[in-house]
Amino acid sequence: MSRIAPLLAGAVAVLAALVLPTVASAETVATPGAPTAVREFSGTIVYSQFDAASNQYLLTVRRAGAAAPERLPVAPSARTFDADIGPDSNGNPELIYQRCSPPPGVPRNCDLFVFSLTNASGERPVNNANDPAHNDMGATIWRGRIAWTRDYGSGSTPNPIVYTKTLSAPRSQPSKRLPGVPQNRTGDVSGTPARPTSGRTVQDLELWGENLALTVSYSCGGCSGIDQSELRLDDIGDGSARQVAFQVVGLSGQTLVGPSFWSGRLGWYKACLGDPSGCRQGQGGPFRYQLSSGRYQRSPSSTRVDGFTDTGSLLYEVLGCSEDTSDPANANCRIDTVAPPAYQATRAPLR
């Protein structure tokens, strides 16, 4: 064999090591047993742990620096808690989450509860926000203020309205309504005049100061795809709203997962929860948006995530899960931490 061949092989290996991106090593911090949202504040995460024996979810945290997750002393739920964690009015970690009627069927009788991680007050209903006549769901918390969705729809026809209020406000004080899901949209296929949207849903809310990030979906006449999905940013102070990201939803179930703030930036992940082909060849992956400059960055990926949080220095990703809670594949369902990948500037993903 020519001496040139091994020399070329060695040179190729060296070049590959220089050119190919380094894959960051992941650390599994929890095994939730089924898909769940994951939220983080000051190194503590909260999520819903599925217990196959009882077919219920357990409200669970992994505190900053802890060696293992911790089940909280609250009653289990037949549905995920959709929990959020943020600072209370004193800056200490506090949870907000929902409880709804058990399956089957659409959720009913949904109410909000808070739970402090620094005192022994236990679970407390959010009495100044809960409405016995409607579902109150999907809440987020930041320094004593909450934002949440109240559904005025009926059965399988939702009509979610987003509100905000401080936990200390009297019940008699009206909650402030925020822009929420777009009520009208102009079709991008037919060019028809703006018409009311339908099938409105709010998937995620995340509060940071007076900034509220929300991922929403809806259908509209003359629009391409099955649904439309947006990541929006509402200003609680002046009530304004703007679109941060837009996505046509097709058979791949394209979804904007896990909006999360840190240091004036907003992160999220584009995932395909249906046919994975829509995210192949790096069409999915994490995005970042700088609030002050409006600049975008992304890191192409084809990996499916069911939950996501970007802390700036660390990403939390919910991986390897199946929506069928009886699926043996959920033995591999996990929450991994991974160092942020290499991000590159990208165009604004807007309509």
Side-chain angles (χ1 to χ4, degrees):
M1 181 176 67
S2 168
R3 292 176 56 196
I4 296 177
L7 288 174
L8 286 174
V12 170
V14 170
L15 287 173
L18 293 174
V19 174
L20 292 177
T22 301
V23 178
S25 60
E27 177 187 357
T28 297
V29 295
T31 52
T36 177
V38 59
R39 293 296 188 205
E40 181 272 351
F41 172 68
S42 292
T44 296
I45 63 170
V46 60
Y47 61 96
S48 296
Q49 174 74 49
F50 182 68
D51 178 49
S54 63
N55 199 37
Q56 290 190 308
Y57 292 90
L58 312 174
L59 186 59
T60 305
V61 298
R62 180 160 176 169
R63 298 179 190 257
E70 170 191 347
R71 175 188 170 183
L72 296 178
V74 301
S77 173
R79 301 181 189 268
T80 59
F81 288 92
D82 200 9
D84 185 42
I85 181 172
D88 64 14
S89 55
N90 295 316
N92 298 315
E94 188 166 46
L95 310 180
I96 189 164
Y97 51 92
Q98 67 193 34
R99 290 188 179 279
C100 303
S101 62
V106 298
R108 299 182 185 277
N109 304 317
C110 299
D111 285 326
L112 303 177
F113 296 81
V114 291
F115 186 97
S116 172
L117 293 182
T118 56
N119 61 50
S121 57
E123 179 180 85
R124 309 188 315 277
V126 185
N127 289 323
N128 71 339
N130 288 330
D131 181 352
H134 300 95
N135 285 341
D136 293 294
M137 310 171 68
T140 177
I141 188 169
W142 186 265
R143 292 199 173 274
R145 174 175 290 279
I146 65 171
W148 78 100
T149 300
R150 177 171 295 155
D151 187 4
Y152 290 98
S154 59
S156 58
T157 306
N159 182 25
I161 303 298
V162 178
Y163 290 102
T164 185
K165 195 173 192 178
T166 61
L167 291 172
S168 60
R171 182 172 179 81
S172 58
Q173 177 180 314
S175 303
K176 181 177 182 178
R177 179 173 174 172
L178 298 173
V181 188
Q183 302 292 298
N184 296 278
R185 274 291 181 258
T186 301
D188 62 331
V189 175
S190 63
T192 56
R195 289 187 285 180
T197 57
S198 60
R200 304 179 192 119
T201 61
V202 177
Q203 283 106 9
D204 283 306
L205 296 175
E206 181 68 1
L207 190 58
W208 181 68
E210 293 199 340
N211 299 284
L212 176 68
L214 58 163
T215 53
V216 304
S217 65
Y218 53 86
S219 299
C220 53
C223 293
S224 55
I226 298 173
D227 278 328
Q228 319 292 301
S229 179
E230 294 187 27
L231 173 59
R232 300 179 61 80
L233 194 61
D234 288 1
D235 188 309
I236 289 178
D238 62 20
S240 63
R242 67 180 186 267
Q243 185 186 92
V244 174
F246 175 84
Q247 177 65 52
V248 174
V249 181
L251 294 176
S252 290
Q254 294 93 332
T255 305
L256 307 178
V257 181
S260 35
F261 290 103
W262 83 100
S263 301
R265 291 172 173 82
L266 174 62
W268 70 95
Y269 195 107
K270 176 187 171 183
C272 288
L273 305 184
D275 178 357
S277 63
C279 287
R280 285 176 182 157
Q281 299 180 337
Q283 294 302 304
F287 284 74
R288 286 177 168 178
Y289 170 76
Q290 189 171 34
L291 273 62
S292 59
S293 68
R295 295 174 181 169
Y296 291 81
Q297 294 179 310
R298 71 179 298 247
S299 180
S301 175
S302 301
T303 302
R304 166 179 169 150
V305 303
D306 287 281
F308 178 78
T309 288
D310 187 347
T311 71
S313 60
L314 204 62
L315 307 183
Y316 290 86
E317 299 178 346
V318 182
L319 304 165
C321 306
S322 169
E323 293 181 4
D324 179 0
T325 55
S326 64
D327 190 339
N330 276 323
N332 191 45
C333 181
R334 63 197 187 276
I335 301 175
D336 281 356
T337 59
V338 62
Y343 284 82
Q344 294 182 342
T346 189
R347 65 177 180 82
L350 303 175
R351 179 178 172 180

